[in-house]
Amino acid sequence: MLIHYVLQFRFVIRCLYLQFKSLRSRWIKVSAKQLELTAFGYRVDWRKLLFVGVILTISGIMFQMLILPYPLHMLFLSPPVKFSSYESLNGTIPLREALTEARAEQFHLAQAGPIVSVNSSIKLIESMPVEQMSAATPLRRNSTSRRRKKIKPEGNPKVLPPPPPPPRKTIPSHLQRYIWSLSPNEALAYAKKEIEHAPMVVDDPDLFTPLFQNVSVFKRSYELMEMILKVFIYRDGARPIFHQPHLRGIYASEGWFMRLMEANRQFVTRDPQKAHLFYLPYSARQLEMALYVPDSHDMKPLSIFLRDYVNMIAAKYPFWNRTHGSDHFLVACHDWGPYTVTEHKELCKNTIKALCNADQSEGIFVGGKDVSLPETTIRTPRKPLRNVGGNRVSQRSILAFFAGNMHGRVRPTLLKYWSGKDEDMKVYGPLPIRVSRKMSYVQHMKSSKYCICPMGHEVNSPRIVEAIYYECVPVIIADNFVLPFSEVLDWSAFSVVVAEKDIPKLKEILLAIPMRRYLKMQINVKMVQKHFLWNPRPIRYDLFHMILHSIWFSRLNQIQIPSS
């Protein structure tokens, strides 16, 4: 710092000497009378004027030495000194060498960079984004390119992250060629063997480990599904029963899956010889609306219609008869979904059925082969994620809540023991108007610690997914109900399952849960929410992919790996 001021002082003395020498030469040539100036009628002595000018010059130079970041000779004659590294500022490089390098660097620069004080340059570099640093400090660019390039203004502009690359691109080319060379059954056997030797997953940014029975198995199976699975969709079948999804109401799951499956490019193939699974694209809800005679209580015409459709598929294509339907699947969320397959033996026993009515006690849903389909209520198809989210735990003043129509064997028992019996247990039939005026159904769920989800006519209930949407811990009361994705998810981590016979002890069971465990379950409900969301454009691990993975996983369970 001392050398810096010495150099500036030498520059001031040299300027004064040159100015004095110039004035001296003029004074010799010009007479005293010619130097006398007249201004506003007053005579001004040149000696006094010279003295005042010298004083002002010295004051200005000293001012810039003390205040400005760089001396005047550096501002006007050359660009600012730029040290080559942070080490030179800390004194690791000797000061004389640093100054020499800095001066030598000045003559190689085409233009002066931005004027920044030495003390603030380090903070500026640390806080400047990489793109701004490269744009703000060009070293060897000409003036034309400099004028064309504009430095981005400061601030925090919204930058959309680039979409993740498709998982297939990350697969080594030799592995991809090997998989392509396999037949569908060989590829499935390869995948099953890989899953049995899945590498250990300790922490994954996309998967919350406490939610899964075995996160390592699920992750490896999911990755192999993305890598291998191809689905062939039959184009046969007339609308509205086929290829026309129903996207609204409590049976919307089958329609949303149909819509997203038929629009998918990653998993769908037009070559049935390459397919690992075959999709029967019918809607149980549309079948009921088109064929059921109201109040007839006769579902046989529906099952006969579906039987004839499968027989037509088997006669037209060789794929059904090749496996007797074991590599075919259907997706039906209507309560009558299981009963529409009873007229066709192979369809009922062999086909993979993704059903909301996943009741093991009736003999139609086969555990370990069939898939439990989540029942989701979609009120606005254009905004399927509307109202998702809930209140904080501190704002959940209600212990347990239920409101709904009285049908089935469980709900009347629930009302018998808890309707109007306890202030902590808000249990109603249809939500009374006097109550809904103060707090709506959705607000009740968002303000409750536990949301009671009893079965209705069938074991399934849309309230289970609604509770997850509103971040309320679901209390499931439905014996013989196979919970969705139970082959991979650990439902005890984010829900409470109560036997039907224990309804009288419901409050006692809920109060016996420690607060620490409840807080963990409530956090887990938030984390599992992503796996139950319908996205207009599917994303990894969402509801569409989870359903498809369950069907894929079921198909893998049918594959026998040779002992060799």
Side-chain angles (χ1 to χ4, degrees):
M1 200 67 180
L2 179 60
I3 296 176
H4 178 70
Y5 284 113
V6 169
L7 293 175
Q8 291 188 356
F9 183 76
R10 288 177 59 186
F11 176 74
V12 171
I13 296 300
R14 182 172 180 81
C15 290
L16 291 176
Y17 173 76
L18 293 176
Q19 186 176 6
F20 178 77
K21 187 175 181 180
S22 175
L23 291 175
R24 181 183 177 188
S25 62
R26 291 184 180 181
W27 176 67
I28 295 175
K29 296 179 181 180
V30 182
S31 62
K33 291 183 180 181
Q34 291 175 331
L35 292 175
E36 291 179 357
L37 303 177
T38 303
F40 300 102
Y42 295 95
R43 292 180 177 274
V44 180
D45 191 354
W46 66 272
R47 295 181 181 86
K48 295 180 181 179
L49 183 61
L50 177 62
F51 178 76
V52 173
V54 170
I55 295 299
L56 293 176
T57 301
I58 295 175
S59 301
I61 293 174
M62 295 302 294
F63 174 79
Q64 68 89 22
M65 288 175 59
L66 298 175
I67 302 300
L68 297 180
Y70 292 100
L72 290 178
H73 75 282
M74 297 177 70
L75 292 175
F76 292 102
L77 300 180
S78 63
V81 177
K82 297 175 69 176
F83 295 97
S84 58
S85 68
Y86 178 76
E87 294 180 350
S88 63
L89 297 178
N90 284 340
T92 306
I93 301 177
L95 183 59
R96 184 183 300 275
E97 296 178 8
L99 291 174
T100 303
E101 292 178 2
R103 288 178 180 174
E105 187 181 359
Q106 293 174 13
F107 294 98
H108 295 288
L109 294 174
Q111 296 181 3
I115 300 173
V116 182
S117 65
V118 176
N119 294 331
S120 63
S121 62
I122 300 300
K123 295 180 180 180
L124 179 63
I125 292 173
E126 292 177 351
S127 61
M128 186 182 298
V130 176
E131 294 82 5
Q132 293 185 2
M133 288 177 63
S134 59
T137 58
L139 295 180
R140 298 179 181 271
R141 296 184 181 178
N142 54 28
S143 59
T144 303
S145 62
R146 176 115 184 189
R147 284 195 299 269
R148 290 179 181 176
K149 189 159 181 101
K150 295 182 180 180
I151 301 175
K152 296 180 180 180
E154 295 182 9
N156 296 321
K158 294 183 178 179
V159 180
L160 295 176
R168 297 177 188 272
K169 294 183 179 180
T170 62
I171 304 171
S173 57
H174 67 279
L175 179 58
Q176 188 68 77
R177 288 194 298 269
Y178 171 72
I179 293 173
W180 285 343
S181 66
L182 300 176
S183 67
N185 285 339
E186 290 173 341
L188 293 174
Y190 166 80
K192 186 172 184 179
K193 192 172 183 180
E194 286 290 309
I195 293 172
E196 290 177 353
H197 301 87
M200 181 67 67
V201 175
V202 178
D203 189 16
D204 187 277
D206 297 325
L207 299 174
F208 192 56
T209 303
L211 302 177
F212 295 89
Q213 296 186 19
N214 190 326
V215 70
S216 302
V217 170
F218 171 73
K219 181 176 175 62
R220 187 56 179 156
S221 176
Y222 189 94
E223 291 173 343
L224 290 168
M225 178 189 74
E226 291 181 317
M227 184 190 309
I228 296 174
L229 179 61
K230 290 297 181 183
V231 178
F232 179 78
I233 303 175
Y234 288 104
R235 297 185 179 182
D236 305 82
R239 295 172 180 263
I241 297 174
F242 301 91
H243 310 287
Q244 183 168 318
H246 189 81
L247 304 177
R248 188 190 303 271
I250 61 175
Y251 305 127
S253 289
E254 63 183 26
W256 274 85
F257 181 86
M258 180 191 299
R259 175 190 178 188
L260 299 177
M261 188 76 251
E262 292 194 323
N264 190 273
R265 295 183 179 180
Q266 178 181 358
F267 299 107
V268 174
T269 180
R270 294 187 177 183
D271 185 358
Q273 300 296 338
K274 297 180 179 180
H276 307 90
L277 286 167
F278 295 80
Y279 176 37
L280 304 174
Y282 90 102
S283 167
R285 173 60 173 168
Q286 297 285 32
L287 184 65
E288 178 252 344
M289 294 176 65
L291 299 180
Y292 178 70
V293 178
D295 300 325
S296 66
H297 305 287
D298 185 8
M299 289 178 283
K300 192 171 183 179
L302 283 66
S303 58
I304 292 176
F305 178 88
L306 196 58
R307 178 200 65 188
D308 295 340
Y309 169 76
V310 172
N311 288 335
M312 182 270 295
I313 290 292
K316 185 176 181 180
Y317 303 95
F319 313 112
W320 181 278
N321 295 327
R322 186 176 59 186
T323 61
H324 301 283
S326 61
D327 55 358
H328 288 58
F329 72 94
L330 58 87
V331 178
C333 192
H334 196 279
D335 288 354
W336 297 348
Y339 314 124
T340 61
V341 302
T342 54
E343 289 295 318
H344 196 289
K345 184 178 180 180
E346 291 181 344
L347 180 64
C348 183
K349 297 297 182 182
N350 299 338
T351 303
I352 300 172
K353 301 180 291 294
L355 303 173
C356 288
N357 187 4
D359 189 346
Q360 288 192 112
S361 64
E362 295 180 342
I364 301 175
F365 184 93
V366 181
K369 179 182 71 69
D370 293 332
V371 172
S372 179
L373 180 68
E375 186 172 359
T376 56
T377 302
I378 302 296
R379 295 178 174 87
T380 308
R382 292 186 178 181
K383 297 180 180 179
L385 305 182
R386 188 177 180 181
N387 293 327
V388 172
N391 297 336
R392 298 191 301 269
V393 174
S394 60
Q395 297 176 334
R396 294 180 179 270
S397 57
I398 304 172
L399 176 63
F401 166 73
F402 167 78
N405 293 325
M406 288 295 103
H407 51 254
R409 64 177 184 267
V410 172
R411 297 184 185 185
T413 306
L414 182 67
L415 255 69
K416 174 184 175 182
Y417 284 96
W418 296 110
S419 179
K421 303 294 179 62
D422 195 305
E423 287 295 324
D424 294 331
M425 306 288 287
K426 303 293 184 180
V427 176
Y428 307 95
L431 193 64
I433 298 178
R434 58 179 175 80
V435 177
S436 61
R437 286 176 179 173
K438 299 179 181 179
M439 184 181 294
S440 66
Y441 176 84
V442 173
Q443 290 173 338
H444 269 88
M445 297 194 81
K446 292 187 176 186
S447 301
S448 301
K449 293 182 174 66
Y450 298 96
C451 290
I452 305 174
C453 308
M455 62 175 289
H457 286 302
E458 307 294 345
V459 292
N460 49 301
S461 171
R463 284 171 180 78
I464 298 175
V465 178
E466 282 183 339
I468 294 174
Y469 283 176
Y470 305 138
E471 300 171 3
C472 178
V473 176
V475 179
I476 303 167
I477 308 176
D479 294 351
N480 303 313
F481 180 42
V482 179
L483 295 170
F485 315 137
S486 55
E487 71 277 1
V488 293
L489 292 181
D490 180 11
W491 278 82
S492 64
F494 55 90
S495 69
V496 179
V497 178
V498 176
E500 297 175 16
K501 63 181 180 62
D502 292 331
I503 290 177
K505 299 185 293 183
L506 182 57
K507 182 178 181 180
E508 181 182 349
I509 293 172
L510 298 180
L511 291 179
I513 298 174
M515 179 56 68
R516 176 177 291 184
R517 184 188 169 196
Y518 166 75
L519 293 175
K520 287 183 179 180
M521 285 194 296
Q522 209 270 337
I523 292 174
N524 292 342
V525 168
K526 294 181 181 180
M527 301 305 293
V528 82
Q529 194 178 79
K530 63 182 288 187
H531 302 300
F532 287 88
L533 297 178
W534 288 116
N535 294 288
R537 293 184 178 181
I539 60 176
R540 297 189 78 196
Y541 304 116
D542 68 353
L543 186 51
F544 168 75
H545 287 96
M546 292 295 289
I547 295 171
L548 190 61
H549 176 267
S550 291
I551 298 170
W552 151 268
F553 201 75
S554 174
R555 177 66 180 132
L556 289 180
N557 288 336
Q558 302 176 24
I559 300 298
Q560 300 295 328
I561 300 179
S563 58
S564 59

